[in-house]
Amino acid sequence: MKILARWKLVYSRRMWSRTLRIAKKEYVQNMKNPWIMVLAVVFLVLSVVVSYYGTASESSVEWMDMEHTVRYLTAYVEYMVPILAVVLGYGSVVRERESGTMALLLAYPVDRGEVLSGKFLGLWSVLITCVVTGLGIGGLIISMHIPDVVWAEYYLFILASVLLGGIYLSLYIMLSVIFEDSTSSMAGSIFTLFLFSFIWLFSVYALAELTFGWSEVVAGRPPKWYLGLQLFNPVLIWYTLLALNIPALREWAMEFGGEEPRYHPGYYDTWIMLILLIIWIAVPLILAEYLFNRKEID
Amino acid sequence: MAFIKIEDLYKSYGQREALRGLDLSVSKGDIYGFLGPNGAGKTTAIKIIMGLIKPDAGSVNIGGKDVSREGMQIRRYIGYLPERIAFYRDMSIWDNLSFLCDIKECPQERIYSLLDDFKINAPPETKIKQLSKGMVQRLGLAQTLIGDPKVLILDEPTTGLDPEIRHWVKDKIIDMGKSGKTIFLSSHILSDVQQLCNRVGVISNGRMIAEDNVDMLGSTLRLDHRFRLSVKPLRDALERVKDIEEVKRPRIEDGSLVLYCRGEDKVKVIEHLLQHCFDILDFSVDEPDLEEVFVKIMEGEK
Ligand SMILES: Nc1ncnc2c1ncn2[C@@H]1O[C@H](COP(=O)(O)OP(=O)(O)OP(=O)(O)O)[C@@H](O)[C@H]1O
Ligand SMILES: [Mg+2]
């Protein structure tokens, strides 16, 4: 019954109008936040610089191809997008609880789930604005130097990065629900960022070395569980999605502990990866709603 | 029939029991004063009414609906002033109120008349962080009227304001009561409740210890004023006032004569002293306070 009632809510126009109203407020408020502006500008400038020098690097005589430029861009997007998400997400709930505005808002006829989804949509829109502008202008620069840009690959790169941002945002909103003060939430968010990049890499490396030997991975013969484990790290899903579609990323994948796509099992497929990214966005948000409904607001 | 009904409410924060079986009922159209000292559990009860925290046991009904199950519908016709009102500080007055209006699905046209009514004379583009505390509190009160709610829940609406604004806020609450709203307000200031409310519930340590019409404070409890007189000669005066039947607990404190008596008996005391040729240099009267209410209620229970 409760599930049915929820589904009825999904179709309620009023619910969407409140969610979108909260999203709009978050968008406007965050676009005016000077820190977000600074980060957006940094993101834009770095995208331009990386695309420019990316295209021009190695031998300065010849422009590199688009794929190799995307290779540089991924290394930078992998950190820049989560950092942007930290700034947007870490305080999204906990700071409103600290300041007291959450108590006021929740005394209005609004569901806590609507508040969270509104926040997510609004903050994600800010992130999308930054990523699409940054990588979009980057793409234009690339296309000025390279004649045969495969745009489909570049669009996929932007889409995947936006989804990666959504995942981090959703995780950070969840942490912002869990933690009781914004400092801890910030620390938790930064830890999560490190968890999926450095910490994961080193612990998986150590695990592989201890069990079957890292050389097996390098030789392209990792065991099944190792490949399955990768799907629990959104950064690796994101990277696998790109590697499956952008050939130049493949050789490079191994250096970063990613898998050589040639040895990717059959279920490593573009659609699966896209669906996994979306699941990775949805699960923390659903968890966040569950936890938020049980939170005391004071 | 009770419009707001709280039954057997329990709430603990770890070891600390904030509410221990609170019962309370408010009728439609009442201005109900929820009176209790600091830490009695007033804010805790109000947060449960608003669905911000969940009780360990017990129930809250408003208009026949349970707040834990139908909170969403109930909140459509409630206006709430939190103990510490907070708005989005980096947003303007207008942006804050229009956001809240949209959430409550009310037309924004009323914002101007609300700002006018509550004497918020700063331009609507002013950021909240530029407003004074008194102004924010008035805005907080204005915000409760968005959507013309039937019920107002006000957590200490008069605390922490300067006398002028406090007076103004009280007048405003009386106005809101006259317009037919049911008002539930918490306070630890006895005189405020006496001036504003028709019903009063006295809470102590998470329990209701008395609930009655507000006249009860004056008539049933017969609260005494504290009367301080600077009089010469002091010792003789003390002996003299002991003869007056209406005088209670006379004593000497910091070189003055202090005694308790009903408001209307004060003149009698002065007349008596003047008749016996005492020199009255000065006097002052303290209104009955919450402590006096507790003393009387406890006396009554014995
Ligand atoms: N979040 C909390 N965590 C732990 N204890 C709490 C919390 N909130 C309230 N308490 C405790 O519960 C008791 C009741 O607090 P409450 O705020 O309801 O009192 P109050 O009547 O509103 O007091 P005041 O007049 O000071 O506002 C107090 O002893 C307080 O210390
Ligand atoms: Mg309180």
Side-chain angles (χ1 to χ4, degrees):
Chain A
M1 278 318 285
K2 210 162 173 203
I3 291 192
L4 274 179
R6 279 209 73 85
W7 273 105
K8 217 170 84 199
L9 272 182
V10 170
Y11 294 109
S12 142
R13 188 186 52 82
R14 293 172 111 182
M15 178 193 128
W16 280 108
S17 81
R18 283 190 298 267
T19 304
L20 291 178
R21 185 60 184 87
I22 293 170
K24 180 181 153 199
K25 186 219 95 190
E26 289 294 328
Y27 188 80
V28 173
Q29 220 181 352
N30 280 283
M31 288 302 271
K32 280 188 193 157
N33 177 340
W35 283 108
I36 305 288
M37 281 331 286
V38 167
L39 264 178
V41 169
V42 168
F43 190 89
L44 182 65
V45 169
L46 280 179
S47 314
V48 169
V49 168
V50 172
S51 342
Y52 184 79
Y53 286 100
T55 47
S57 71
E58 297 197 344
S59 76
S60 47
V61 192
E62 249 178 294
W63 294 105
M64 270 170 65
D65 57 38
M66 189 271 288
E67 292 187 350
H68 286 86
T69 310
V70 168
R71 208 165 86 171
Y72 287 101
L73 278 173
T74 55
Y76 139 78
V77 162
E78 183 186 340
Y79 293 99
M80 205 53 202
V81 163
I83 288 171
L84 204 57
V86 169
V87 179
L88 289 168
Y90 87 93
S92 55
V93 174
V94 73
R95 270 216 316 265
E96 276 210 40
R97 285 181 59 201
E98 286 171 340
S99 73
T101 51
M102 192 56 93
L104 182 67
L105 177 58
L106 292 181
Y108 275 70
V110 61
D111 186 82
R112 293 190 186 188
E114 291 164 22
V115 173
L116 286 190
S117 30
K119 277 184 177 290
F120 175 77
L121 289 179
L123 297 175
W124 201 23
S125 307
V126 175
L127 191 133
I128 291 174
T129 309
C130 296
V131 171
V132 170
T133 331
L135 294 184
I137 295 181
L140 285 180
I141 292 175
I142 297 170
S143 69
M144 281 192 287
H145 297 302
I146 298 156
D148 50 347
V149 175
V150 192
W151 282 111
E153 288 179 10
Y154 199 73
Y155 291 149
L156 181 79
F157 173 53
I158 294 181
L159 173 72
S161 308
V162 159
L163 289 175
L164 182 69
I167 292 173
Y168 274 105
L169 206 51
S170 151
L171 281 166
Y172 295 155
I173 288 176
M174 182 183 78
L175 294 179
S176 194
V177 167
I178 292 171
F179 284 108
E180 295 292 323
D181 65 285
S182 46
T183 318
S184 316
S185 178
M186 164 87 91
S189 303
I190 291 172
F191 176 80
T192 310
L193 199 165
F194 284 138
L195 173 72
F196 289 132
S197 37
F198 304 116
I199 301 173
W200 185 281
L201 208 66
F202 292 131
S203 35
V204 164
Y205 181 87
L207 202 66
E209 191 60 60
L210 285 173
T211 49
F212 53 83
W214 184 246
S215 54
E216 289 294 295
V217 180
V218 178
R221 290 188 299 273
K224 278 206 180 75
W225 64 261
Y226 178 85
L227 292 167
L229 198 63
Q230 308 244 332
L231 303 181
F232 288 90
N233 184 335
V235 179
L236 292 178
I237 302 174
W238 167 77
Y239 198 84
T240 307
L241 172 64
L242 295 179
L244 282 169
N245 291 280
I246 305 173
L249 291 182
R250 283 177 205 157
E251 319 116 47
W252 211 45
M254 284 200 306
E255 292 169 38
F256 281 80
E259 213 28 64
E260 238 273 43
R262 222 171 344 132
Y263 302 106
H264 281 165
Y267 61 87
Y268 272 33
D269 150 279
T270 299
W271 285 107
I272 300 276
M273 293 301 142
L274 274 173
I275 289 166
L276 281 175
L277 288 178
I278 290 164
I279 291 176
W280 257 104
I281 293 179
V283 170
L285 270 185
I286 291 168
L287 262 172
E289 193 199 332
Y290 175 84
L291 296 169
F292 196 36
N293 275 323
R294 272 147 199 80
K295 267 277 157 172
E296 316 242 287
I297 308 296
D298 18 49
Chain B
M1 214 202 90
F3 190 55
I4 303 176
K5 188 151 190 61
I6 293 185
E7 279 177 310
D8 212 19
L9 213 56
Y10 282 84
K11 177 74 193 176
S12 297
Y13 295 103
Q15 294 292 329
R16 185 92 186 74
E17 290 178 302
L19 295 178
R20 304 182 299 152
L22 180 77
D23 290 301
L24 169 166
S25 71
V26 182
S27 304
K28 209 165 191 155
D30 271 353
I31 303 187
Y32 187 105
F34 193 33
L35 191 61
N38 291 134
K42 303 181 297 291
T43 300
T44 306
I46 287 178
K47 281 182 181 155
I48 293 174
I49 295 177
M50 296 312 302
L52 295 172
I53 61 180
K54 291 196 174 60
D56 300 334
S59 67
V60 180
N61 273 269
I62 299 182
K65 289 182 174 145
D66 188 303
V67 294
S68 59
R69 264 177 282 125
E70 294 170 278
M72 186 84 161
Q73 283 93 306
I74 291 171
R75 289 197 301 268
R76 272 185 226 288
Y77 55 80
I78 294 190
Y80 168 55
L81 177 72
E83 188 168 38
R84 279 183 298 275
I85 180 72
F87 290 97
Y88 297 102
R89 287 172 56 76
D90 53 347
M91 282 165 46
S92 68
I93 297 177
W94 176 266
D95 288 345
N96 269 278
L97 290 189
S98 69
F99 173 63
L100 295 173
C101 266
D102 289 347
I103 295 294
K104 220 164 183 172
E105 297 165 75
C106 310
Q108 299 187 350
E109 286 85 74
R110 266 212 65 203
I111 295 178
Y112 287 113
S113 68
L114 273 181
L115 291 179
D116 221 35
D117 264 10
F118 284 81
K119 289 212 213 141
I120 294 153
N121 36 29
E125 309 79 57
T126 316
K127 296 253 166 71
I128 298 292
K129 59 183 167 203
Q130 296 164 346
L131 300 179
S132 70
K133 184 173 157 51
M135 186 92 89
V136 173
Q137 183 77 359
R138 288 206 300 263
L139 196 60
L141 216 52
Q143 156 281 133
T144 63
L145 291 185
I146 289 176
D148 201 18
K150 289 188 258 179
V151 185
L152 295 178
I153 310 266
L154 313 174
D155 198 351
E156 309 235 13
T158 56
T159 308
L161 301 174
D162 71 33
E164 195 188 338
I165 296 180
R166 212 175 123 193
H167 193 79
W168 184 89
V169 164
K170 284 197 269 191
D171 282 348
K172 208 73 208 171
I173 292 173
I174 291 172
D175 284 351
M176 300 196 286
K178 280 188 189 136
S179 67
K181 297 187 189 312
T182 305
I183 303 179
F184 181 89
L185 64 91
S186 78
S187 177
H188 59 261
I189 303 163
L190 183 66
S191 59
D192 282 2
V193 169
Q194 279 179 310
Q195 287 165 35
L196 297 174
C197 306
N198 64 321
R199 290 275 300 172
V200 61
V202 183
I203 179 179
S204 169
N205 285 319
R207 241 189 234 138
M208 191 61 84
I209 55 171
E211 195 177 31
D212 209 332
N213 288 332
V214 83
D215 315 336
M216 169 253 326
L217 295 171
S219 55
T220 318
L221 293 181
R222 300 176 65 85
L223 298 177
D224 294 329
H225 291 225
R226 184 187 149 97
F227 198 18
R228 174 188 287 269
L229 292 136
S230 185
V231 61
K232 267 187 199 166
L234 196 57
R235 299 257 155 221
D236 296 341
L238 177 65
E239 292 311 312
R240 183 57 69 187
V241 294
K242 279 179 181 167
D243 298 341
I244 311 172
E245 201 188 327
E246 290 84 356
V247 167
K248 279 166 228 152
R249 291 175 270 159
R251 59 175 175 264
I252 291 170
E253 258 180 33
D254 306 328
S256 304
L257 176 62
V258 171
L259 54 87
Y260 288 81
C261 68
R262 302 285 311 276
E264 60 268 32
D265 295 328
K266 288 179 301 220
V267 180
K268 206 170 179 175
V269 173
I270 292 184
E271 275 173 352
H272 191 82
L273 287 172
L274 288 175
Q275 258 169 29
H276 291 84
C277 302
F278 286 96
D279 273 343
I280 299 180
L281 308 174
D282 198 2
F283 67 86
S284 63
V285 184
D286 296 330
E287 298 245 312
D289 55 13
L290 196 51
E291 200 183 309
E292 186 64 13
V293 174
F294 285 116
V295 169
K296 285 299 166 101
I297 290 174
M298 297 310 172
E299 271 175 12
E301 279 182 354
K302 269 175 206 159

